Amino acid sequence: MEPASKKMKLDTTARIRMETVVDCPLTQDVGTVNVCVGRILEKKHTRSIILDLNSKHPIPALSHLKRIKNDRIILCIRNTVDDVAKFLVDLNIDCTHLGDFAIVEVAKNAPITRKQFESANAKWPCNFHEDKQLEKLVNNIFSVEELDLHEKWMRVAVKTAKEFGRICASVVVDPSTDSLVAKSADNRDNHPMQHSVMLAVDLVARSQGGGAWPLLSIGQYNTVTECKVLDDPDDGPYLCTGYDVYTTREPCIMCSMALIHSRAKRVFYGAPSKNGSLGSTAKIHTVKELNHHYQAFRGLLREDCERLFDKSVVSNKQSTS
Ligand SMILES: [Zn+2]
């Protein structure tokens, strides 16, 4: 019999394909830029040279870099050493104790993640303050227990899609109580806007005393949360605040924006879509100008979600959530 710890590791590995959809700057390389560096000929002049350079030629674009590496110091951004001595003299910088000018490649942009920092720091010493939450997100770190929960709710979405013979179904969950708030299947064959995510958000609104569409047999909202009508709406959560959304297909731009407006906390989807807006054609959830941001994860039970497509006899209209 396998030890429990080994089994746990295997389980995690098997599910590793669920990944966080992050903003491009988090996954891109930090890039490089050429700088001219000089050797400090006598160590005792190090401090005065740093002060001289920092006051007469600060380089704000490279503020993420340390100016010194051993006995070498960054003088200026340059592709060639040819005019550097004249450049420094014109700035009234004392070059008496500097020599061996050379061009080296350094990181162009400040590192945001540890991986970027390690790449940047290998070129030239770099400043970095690790954001532990961000690292967890970028590295997609979920415990086995958390993965169990996420899979459980995605299975509800898959089951809902099967029940109604649809490709797309969505489930809204309150993770603080691990309870269903609303679930819905796609209904766009009857109404162009009734994608499963739109229906689910409307059902959440209904559970809070609102809602725009009449209740359909295609959606269901939890009768317990239906009763949670707030005395003072300003006091309580707004629509999907704090809620997780599980949807079989990557949401389209309309649904992605509906999830922004309704303040979803996290969105998990199974299969990508060519019209999807959380990784395929755009990353709506990372647009800085929007007033709310949720986290997005793709690939949760991807095979199960894609199998819905194989068996479905409905049109491609349903290809996004
Ligand atoms: Zn949609």
Side-chain angles (χ1 to χ4, degrees), residues 187-259:
N187 189 43
R188 79 188 74 175
D189 284 348
N190 298 313
H191 190 301
M193 286 179 69
Q194 288 184 346
H195 299 197
S196 65
V197 168
M198 297 294 282
L199 277 167
V201 169
D202 194 61
L203 286 169
V204 173
R206 182 176 282 272
S207 79
Q208 295 169 6
W213 287 319
L215 195 60
L216 304 162
S217 62
I218 211 150
Q220 176 192 319
Y221 60 96
N222 188 321
T223 50
V224 177
T225 47
E226 181 197 5
C227 298
K228 273 193 198 166
V229 179
L230 301 161
D231 294 334
D232 181 0
D234 291 338
D235 256 5
Y238 172 75
L239 286 174
C240 297
T241 300
Y243 291 166
D244 289 340
V245 178
Y246 298 82
T247 188
T248 55
R249 288 259 144 190
E250 182 181 356
C252 69
I253 193 158
M254 173 179 71
C255 291
S256 302
M257 281 305 296
L259 292 168

Side-chain angles (χ1 to χ4, degrees), residues 141-154:
I141 300 168
F142 284 105
S143 69
V144 172
E145 291 75 18
E146 287 171 324
L147 285 169
D148 280 343
L149 278 180
H150 296 317
E151 285 194 2
K152 176 183 84 173
W153 288 116
M154 187 59 95

Side-chain angles (χ1 to χ4, degrees), residues 157 160 168-172 182-185 196-198 200 245-248 321:
T160 305
C168 307
S170 303
V171 172
V172 182
K183 64 176 183 177
S184 61
S196 65
V197 168
M198 297 294 282
V245 178
Y246 298 82
T247 188
T248 55
S321 281

